[in-house]
Amino acid sequence: MAWTRYHLLLAFLMVITGSINTLTTKWADRIESVGRDGDVRKFDHPFVQALSMFFGEILCLIMFNVLYKIYSRRADGSEEANKFTKGNRNFNRFLLFIPAMCDMTATSLMYIGLNLTYAASFQMLRGSVIIFVALLSVGFLEKVIKRQQWTGIFLVIIGLVVVALADVLTKDTSGEDFGRNSIITGDLLIVLAQIITSVQMVIEEKFVHAQDIPPLQAVGWEGVFGFLVLGLLHIPFYFIYVGPPFSNNARGVLEDIVDAFVQIGNNFRLIFAIGGTILSIAFFNFAGISVTKEMSATTRMVLDSVRTLVIWMFSLGLFGQHFHWLQLLGFFSLIVGMFMYNGLTLTSLYLKIRQLIVGVRYRNLNEEIIENMEADSPENNS
């Protein structure tokens, strides 16, 4: 399938906002602040961060309603033509309940795992979701994955493994010191989260394609369900004592939302970090579900893996990671794998870029011709 400019915009938006989301989440994990007991500790509140993620998704529903009101007031059918509002708006909202629960579970597990292992391992294991989505797409969506696509997926996985190997060889210097049991537990939680995420993606593709649900509306309702359910779960979480390494809050419980708000109030940087998470996840989820609707679930997962490159580049300067030549090799394998999956070769990529540049040049030339014709018209000369 040929990518249009709209597809390229969605891909760019998904990679950039997804990178910002991961970086702000990790930034919040590393920020120290005074808790409710007066002690200074890092912001270890994965379920609060997951709750903020769902609040960001609710913003998508608000934006959808605002855009729909604006276009519907024109009374010219704009709401049926615009990409953000067209589609079946009167679907059964509970169709998105199961994807929302998958999203809630996977995100919570990933945030817990991120606190138990290194950022490099976190990024590598997130890439494993590609193979799970491909297998489920074949089994439940009756898709046929071509040999070249399987090769591309394999190269993506190899690239992520090489990057993780480079991080191990350079002995991650982010300042975090985890025990072996902690790392294994965190890695297993992240892999389990990817299996759940792949189920979510395939369910979304099946229902979004079948129901033609507007992306903003779909993301928003998933946010509503996730926010309500996870918000209620904070009540039992407040009384479940787990201790380290699964908890580092003031009371040693699974989640202490009061301690989280006290820490946020005592360090303004946490406000920016959580705010960045909320805004970036709103745009990231919209772009992600739009990619699923316009292209496929596996394409969404490949693009999601590409943001590892962006995150690694910023992590070199922000989180104390050291450069290793294996990282370049790994990212090269990652990008080549993405191109192969999408049927792109160096020649076809060059032709696409050249066609895009030529199209922009001719469009600007046509605009100049129209302006000159209007300037030379008899009405303007009179």
Side-chain angles (χ1 to χ4, degrees), residues 4-254:
T4 64
R5 292 184 183 180
Y6 180 62
H7 292 160
L8 292 174
L9 176 62
L10 288 176
F12 178 80
L13 183 64
M14 181 177 173
V15 171
I16 296 300
T17 56
S19 301
I20 294 174
N21 180 256
T22 300
L23 291 171
T24 54
T25 301
K26 188 60 181 177
W27 181 35
D29 291 340
R30 294 166 57 87
I31 294 176
E32 293 184 344
S33 181
V34 179
R36 61 186 298 188
D37 58 351
D39 292 339
V40 178
R41 59 172 58 87
K42 291 183 178 180
F43 189 78
D44 184 7
H45 296 281
F47 293 101
V48 171
Q49 289 182 309
L51 198 65
S52 66
M53 182 205 71
F54 284 113
F55 182 76
E57 292 182 350
I58 293 176
L59 296 180
C60 291
L61 184 61
I62 297 175
M63 179 59 67
F64 169 81
N65 290 325
V66 171
L67 291 175
Y68 180 75
K69 290 293 184 182
I70 293 175
Y71 290 125
S72 60
R73 285 183 178 179
R74 296 178 180 178
D76 59 357
S78 298
E79 69 277 9
E80 300 296 340
N82 188 272
K83 290 182 180 293
F84 297 108
T85 57
K86 71 177 183 178
N88 176 21
R89 295 178 294 272
N90 298 316
F91 62 95
N92 184 356
R93 273 49 174 175
F94 286 96
L95 289 174
L96 295 170
F97 182 79
I98 294 179
M101 295 303 97
C102 291
D103 193 11
M104 179 193 72
T105 306
T107 302
S108 299
L109 288 175
M110 282 190 291
Y111 285 169
I112 295 174
L114 181 58
N115 282 323
L116 297 176
T117 189
Y118 297 109
S121 299
F122 175 77
Q123 290 302 321
M124 176 196 69
L125 294 173
R126 285 195 60 142
S128 65
V129 73
I130 299 173
I131 191 65
F132 299 133
V133 173
L135 291 174
L136 291 176
S137 297
V138 172
F140 294 96
L141 300 179
E142 299 180 354
K143 284 195 171 186
V144 177
I145 306 297
K146 299 178 181 179
R147 182 179 301 178
Q148 179 177 329
Q149 291 176 310
W150 281 118
T151 304
I153 294 173
F154 178 75
L155 287 175
V156 169
I157 299 299
I158 291 297
L160 293 170
V161 172
V162 171
V163 170
L165 178 61
D167 289 332
V168 172
L169 292 177
T170 53
K171 295 182 180 181
D172 186 57
T173 57
S174 60
E176 298 163 310
D177 185 18
F178 302 109
R180 178 171 297 179
N181 291 336
S182 174
I183 293 175
I184 294 175
T185 302
D187 290 349
L188 290 176
L189 287 175
I190 295 170
V191 171
L192 177 60
Q194 304 321 302
I195 298 175
I196 299 174
T197 300
S198 65
V199 173
Q200 174 199 349
M201 298 300 103
V202 172
I203 291 176
E204 280 184 351
E205 181 172 359
K206 187 176 182 63
F207 285 109
V208 169
H209 276 288
Q211 300 294 326
D212 192 27
I213 303 172
L216 282 175
Q217 196 175 16
V219 171
W221 277 106
E222 285 188 10
V224 170
F225 289 131
F227 188 87
L228 291 177
V229 174
L230 187 57
L232 291 175
L233 287 175
H234 271 75
I235 298 176
F237 288 171
Y238 187 80
F239 299 99
I240 300 176
Y241 290 89
V242 291
F246 294 101
S247 174
N248 189 35
N249 52 60
R251 298 175 56 248
V253 293
L254 190 58

Side-chain angles (χ1 to χ4, degrees), residues 299-318:
T299 302
R300 174 177 176 174
M301 289 300 97
V302 173
L303 290 173
D304 191 41
S305 299
V306 173
R307 63 180 172 138
T308 307
L309 172 61
V310 180
I311 294 170
W312 166 69
M313 292 173 61
F314 280 91
S315 295
L316 290 175
L318 297 177

